[in-house]
Amino acid sequence: MYELSTLSLIALCLVSFIGVPHGSFDGAVAALLGYQSKKRFATFIFGYLLISISVIIFWIYFPVLSLILFILMSIVHFGLCDWSSLNINEHKWLVTLTHGMNVVFGIIFFHTQESFEIFEFLSNVNFVFFKQYMFIGYIVYIVFLIYYCFLAIHNNKLRLGALEMLLILLVISFVDPLTGFALYFCFIHTVKHIKAILFNTNKYLSNKKFIFLSTIIFTILTWAGGCAAIIYLGNNISFDESFVKTIFIGLAALTLPHMTLVDFFYRKKFN
């Protein structure tokens, strides 16, 4: 079974204290979308929590399907963030899927054994069965990447995107999968997301106190929930497994409402 190294533990702590709280800005995002009155904001909080709790319950009963859906959601969400940061309107789904597959499939390709051991943590079953089908994902990624590079010949922004993807692959090839994920999630994805949100909140929202307080409160609640989950799971499974499960199932529970809010509503208005 996969054992967390000191570097992996530091990586998961980075995800906990830097990466996960970036979703705490969702209160500010909701305000940008018109949920500013107490009643409307309470409705937003209720819906957000309902989706998160539903994801956790679904994961408990259907862990394999949940893991597969989480991987697919991550590809789309990471890719859309990268597409948005490149500030281009054309080739949306080519850019989105290429960037998203680059980091996800890159980690799996360079660290296949460790990745599938982590998947086993998260799904409670031997996930090796799916290893034989990974070549399909790699082929799809390579096809997209070739077309991406062809378009980049005449597009400066896509050339920048191609360079970024290359650098990401180089970094994740030299570190363990959790560290590679943490470096991307905390210092590329999170930075891009927060930069965009802060730009629009500073431009369109005058109540800076609300932004600060809602972000702090959501962050503290997220950390408290994570600590409680680790303690609860630690009664029955190892610390390593409980830590990994808490981080990634927690991410899944936050990703669905976060992705729904950001990718399907926020980007339509501000991209």
Side-chain angles (χ1 to χ4, degrees):
M1 292 295 290
Y2 187 79
E3 294 185 3
L4 295 178
S5 64
T6 301
L7 190 59
S8 295
L9 283 169
I10 294 173
L12 289 180
C13 288
L14 285 175
V15 173
S16 301
F17 290 101
I18 298 177
V20 171
H22 90 273
S24 298
F25 281 90
D26 283 354
V29 176
L32 283 169
L33 295 174
Y35 291 87
Q36 297 187 30
S37 68
K38 291 182 179 179
K39 182 177 181 180
R40 294 207 69 194
F41 194 73
T43 301
F44 160 74
I45 295 297
F46 176 79
Y48 201 98
L49 291 175
L50 182 63
I51 295 174
S52 295
I53 294 170
S54 298
V55 170
I56 294 173
I57 294 173
F58 189 83
W59 197 300
I60 292 172
Y61 289 100
F62 306 100
V64 175
L65 179 58
S66 296
L67 178 56
I68 293 172
L69 291 175
F70 176 56
I71 292 172
L72 295 175
M73 282 194 306
S74 298
I75 289 173
V76 173
H77 182 59
F78 292 158
L80 281 172
C81 182
D82 289 348
W83 166 77
S84 178
S85 70
L86 287 173
N87 195 27
I88 56 177
N89 295 319
E90 64 273 19
H91 315 302
K92 176 180 179 180
W93 288 108
L94 169 70
V95 174
T96 294
L97 295 177
T98 307
H99 277 258
M101 288 188 290
N102 182 73
V103 61
V104 173
F105 289 159
I107 290 173
I108 297 173
F109 176 78
F110 287 114
H111 309 284
T112 304
Q113 183 62 34
E114 300 98 316
S115 296
F116 277 86
E117 289 177 359
I118 294 170
F119 293 158
E120 186 174 342
F121 269 177
L122 297 174
S123 64
N124 299 319
V125 299
N126 193 328
F127 217 73
V128 176
F129 170 78
F130 294 93
K131 190 185 296 185
Q132 61 187 313
Y133 298 106
M134 282 306 303
F135 75 93
I136 298 174
Y138 297 146
I139 291 174
V140 173
Y141 165 67
I142 291 171
V143 171
F144 274 61
L145 181 62
I146 291 172
Y147 186 46
Y148 186 106
C149 291
F150 172 75
L151 293 175
I153 294 173
H154 304 290
N155 190 311
N156 291 332
K157 292 179 179 179
L158 289 183
R159 285 202 291 271
L160 183 63
L163 177 60
E164 179 184 282
M165 287 191 288
L166 175 61
L167 292 175
I168 289 171
L169 289 177
L170 286 174
V171 171
I172 63 179
S173 69
F174 284 107
V175 296
D176 66 85
L178 292 177
T179 302
F181 172 78
L183 291 174
Y184 171 79
F185 189 65
C186 296
F187 301 109
I188 297 180
H189 176 69
T190 296
V191 169
K192 288 178 179 179
H193 175 73
I194 292 178
K195 181 180 177 182
I197 298 302
L198 288 178
F199 173 81
N200 285 314
T201 52
N202 286 331
K203 185 176 181 180
Y204 297 106
L205 294 181
S206 58
N207 192 349
K208 302 298 187 294
K209 182 179 179 181
F210 167 80
I211 298 170
F212 176 77
L213 288 177
S214 64
T215 301
I216 292 298
I217 290 171
F218 291 160
T219 298
I220 292 174
L221 290 176
T222 301
W223 287 342
C227 290
I230 291 173
I231 294 171
Y232 173 78
L233 292 172
N235 293 324
N236 301 302
I237 57 179
S238 68
F239 171 78
D240 287 1
E241 187 174 355
S242 66
F243 201 6
V244 171
K245 279 188 172 181
T246 298
I247 293 297
F248 285 97
I249 296 177
L251 273 179
L254 296 173
T255 294
L256 184 56
H258 173 70
M259 183 177 176
T260 302
L261 180 71
V262 173
D263 294 333
F264 295 100
F265 294 99
Y266 171 80
R267 295 200 195 284
K268 286 184 178 180
K269 184 174 180 180
F270 292 100
N271 270 97

